[in-house]
Amino acid sequence: MNQAAAFGSTRPIIPAGTQLNGIYEIDEPIAAGGMGEIYKGHAIQTGDPVAIKLIRSDLAEAEAAFALFRKEASALHNLYHEAIVRYYVFTVDPVLRRPYLAMEYVDGQSLSAMLRGGPLAFEAALRLTQRIAAGLNAAHERGIIHRDVSPDNVIIPGGDMSRAKIIDFGIARSTRLEDEGTVIGAGFAGKYNYVSPEQLGLYGGEITPKSDIYSLGLVLAEALRGAPIDMGGNHVDVIDKRRVVPDLGPVDERLRPLIEHMLQPDPADRPASMAEVAGYRIDAAPRPQRPRPRPAQPALKPQDATRANPLMIGAAAAVAVALLAAAPFIYRALRPPGPAGRRRCSRKTPARSRRSSTRETLTRAGGRSWSTGGGAGVGPGGRSPGAAPRRRRASPRPTCQRSGRSRRRRRRPTPQASRRARPPSPRGKSPSPTITAATAFTPEP
């Protein structure tokens, strides 16, 4: 593979084996940027790997580029933290006549390269948050603001988030009064998709450590989403998107409150420092709570009742009107029957039923029948004593006059007859004689 193509530039690259000041030797190119080139090398005397950052050859004579390199060397020289890449030396090679910066070599991928494989798990994102926030807090305590916190400037050695390193303090700005700041001054510096609102002139435009807090919030949101939040566009879009908290989308609920706090547009509403961000723990995340019973609501006072919801008043009025309209029907359905409501049933008795009262029979043991209206030994209707008695026809049922419905009237049993009548014995025993009122005056033969 062409090293120039892999290096991302068509400019001539420094060949391997080139020595710098007799101290370091270049091994291979790593990356190239807008202002410099980065190579992997080693110390000639010890063989320890180092990262060597050189100014581009076409900018070697530019005072602005040289000032940025010197500022980065000064920032790294005063920082000692495990999460920040270590500084070794800053000088100019007399042969190449190019300034270079030798620093700690970190063997690992950038965070942006790792996120191409998918979002981070919650535990990994939490370790990354604590690690990067602690390193930036160390820089802030020494008056240094990074101003370019992005996934490209975070290296993950061996994929271990607890060993993450912050690199590229090239546009770092010092807040100490005795320092002159950077050549960029207090204006814009950084990548558009990760800069804070104040870096674009909003909310007073003052760059403070809270600017790095905002940028780190966007980095953490991207780590949990697996894709960056769209904060770019034209100049108007870039400004408008930083007036509100961006939509975080599928961000873990345990880290969402912290990220939303970090992405507040107004710097005064963000965490007080990176130490507060680094101290965020899992127990600070909201947990689902069981629903609690609601306390009993106090009764409305008379003066409060008039201030009730208009919809409730309208519904109550509609129910009252409906009840008034249905009152007559409810009363008729629930009213008990009075004297006028009693049933009047006809008591028409057919002539055949009246005539049968004079021809009642008495059946005795021996099979003879007696009649009150005929001769001895003659049954009703002129039948012989041995003949079976004729079956009586039932009287017609009375008809209820109240509702027009046919109802069955209870039959009042005759005294003595209903009490003494018994069906024939199934075992051949003599049945008990049946005595009626008519036979009480008939003498026996």
Side-chain angles (χ1 to χ4, degrees):
M1 179 184 294
N2 190 337
Q3 285 187 329
F7 198 53
S9 173
T10 57
R11 299 188 304 269
I13 61 175
I14 300 177
T18 302
Q19 294 186 356
L20 303 175
N21 293 95
I23 304 174
Y24 302 105
E25 184 176 326
I26 292 177
D27 294 332
E28 59 180 347
I30 297 176
M35 296 181 60
E37 303 164 352
I38 301 177
Y39 295 85
K40 179 184 177 182
H42 64 275
I44 297 175
Q45 299 299 326
T46 63
D48 296 332
V50 294
I52 302 173
K53 187 174 184 179
L54 288 92
I55 294 180
R56 283 172 40 185
S57 56
D58 54 337
L59 297 177
E61 302 297 331
E63 290 295 332
F66 183 81
L68 284 177
F69 264 63
R70 186 173 57 188
K71 179 58 61 179
E72 182 175 7
S74 176
L76 292 175
H77 179 74
N78 295 319
L79 290 178
Y80 301 95
H81 195 275
E82 293 181 352
I84 298 176
V85 64
R86 287 179 295 172
Y87 155 83
Y88 294 146
V89 66
F90 173 74
T91 187
V92 178
D93 180 73
V95 178
L96 298 177
R97 296 183 179 181
R98 293 172 62 179
Y100 70 91
L101 177 65
M103 64 189 73
E104 175 188 7
Y105 174 74
V106 182
D107 187 10
Q109 286 184 311
S110 66
L111 180 61
S112 58
M114 288 193 63
L115 294 179
R116 296 189 189 105
L120 300 181
F122 167 74
E123 292 76 11
L126 182 61
R127 289 195 297 269
L128 178 67
T129 302
Q130 297 167 353
R131 175 79 170 182
I132 301 302
L136 290 174
N137 184 63
H140 294 166
E141 287 179 347
R142 289 164 176 79
I144 298 174
I145 305 171
H146 191 285
R147 297 203 301 176
D148 192 19
V149 179
S150 65
D152 291 333
N153 291 333
V154 177
I155 303 298
I156 314 298
D160 186 0
M161 298 299 164
S162 61
R163 298 169 54 199
K165 295 276 188 178
I166 306 169
I167 64 172
D168 201 354
F169 280 78
I171 59 174
R173 179 175 183 265
S174 176
T175 58
R176 292 178 295 183
L177 296 178
E178 63 271 18
D179 291 344
E180 70 277 11
T182 65
V183 292
I184 303 177
F188 170 78
K191 300 178 178 67
Y192 264 117
N193 207 57
Y194 301 96
V195 296
S196 62
E198 55 269 28
Q199 287 177 265
L200 299 175
L202 299 177
Y203 301 97
E206 182 181 0
I207 310 300
T208 66
K210 292 189 176 184
S211 302
D212 285 347
I213 292 178
Y214 187 93
S215 299
L216 181 58
L218 291 174
V219 172
L220 296 178
E222 180 177 347
L224 289 167
R225 289 163 46 99
I229 299 177
D230 183 13
M231 301 294 289
N234 56 42
H235 187 70
V236 176
D237 293 338
V238 170
I239 296 295
D240 290 342
K241 289 177 181 179
R242 282 161 177 79
R243 296 185 186 276
V244 296
V245 177
D247 182 16
L248 300 182
V251 170
D252 194 292
E253 293 296 332
R254 292 168 288 184
L255 278 175
R256 180 182 291 270
L258 173 64
I259 297 177
E260 289 179 346
H261 195 191
M262 298 172 68
L263 293 180
Q264 292 297 319
D266 191 345
D269 298 332
R270 299 173 200 159
S273 65
M274 276 293 183
E276 181 178 341
V277 177
Y280 187 81
R281 294 294 182 271
I282 224 177
D283 52 0
R287 297 180 179 179
Q289 299 179 356
R290 296 180 180 178
R292 299 179 179 179
R294 296 182 179 179
Q297 297 293 336
L300 289 176
K301 299 179 180 180
Q303 58 270 24
D304 295 336
T306 58
R307 304 174 185 175
N309 194 330
L311 294 178
M312 297 178 62
I313 296 177
V319 172
V321 171
L323 289 176
L324 290 176
F329 302 99
I330 297 175
Y331 174 74
R332 292 175 185 175
L334 300 179
R335 182 181 62 180
R342 293 178 180 176
R343 294 178 296 181
R344 297 178 181 178
C345 300
S346 61
R347 297 187 178 181
K348 296 180 181 180
T349 304
R352 184 184 299 273
S353 177
R354 289 196 298 269
R355 289 195 302 270
S356 64
S357 63
T358 60
R359 301 171 61 183
E360 295 177 349
T361 61
L362 174 63
T363 305
R364 298 177 179 268
R368 291 187 299 174
S369 299
W370 297 82
S371 174
T372 57
V378 179
R383 289 176 177 260
S384 61
R390 181 181 297 178
R391 184 178 179 182
R392 295 176 56 187
R393 293 185 181 180
S395 302
R397 299 175 182 174
T399 303
C400 184
Q401 299 295 332
R402 177 184 174 187
S403 60
R405 299 177 182 177
S406 176
R407 298 181 180 271
R408 180 178 298 178
R409 184 181 179 188
R410 293 182 180 179
R411 304 178 69 181
R412 297 181 180 180
T414 58
Q416 297 179 357
S418 61
R419 184 168 60 250
R420 297 182 179 179
R422 296 290 188 272
S425 175
R427 297 184 180 181
K429 295 182 180 181
S430 300
S432 302
T434 302
I435 304 175
T436 62
T439 60
F441 301 96
T442 306
E444 296 183 1

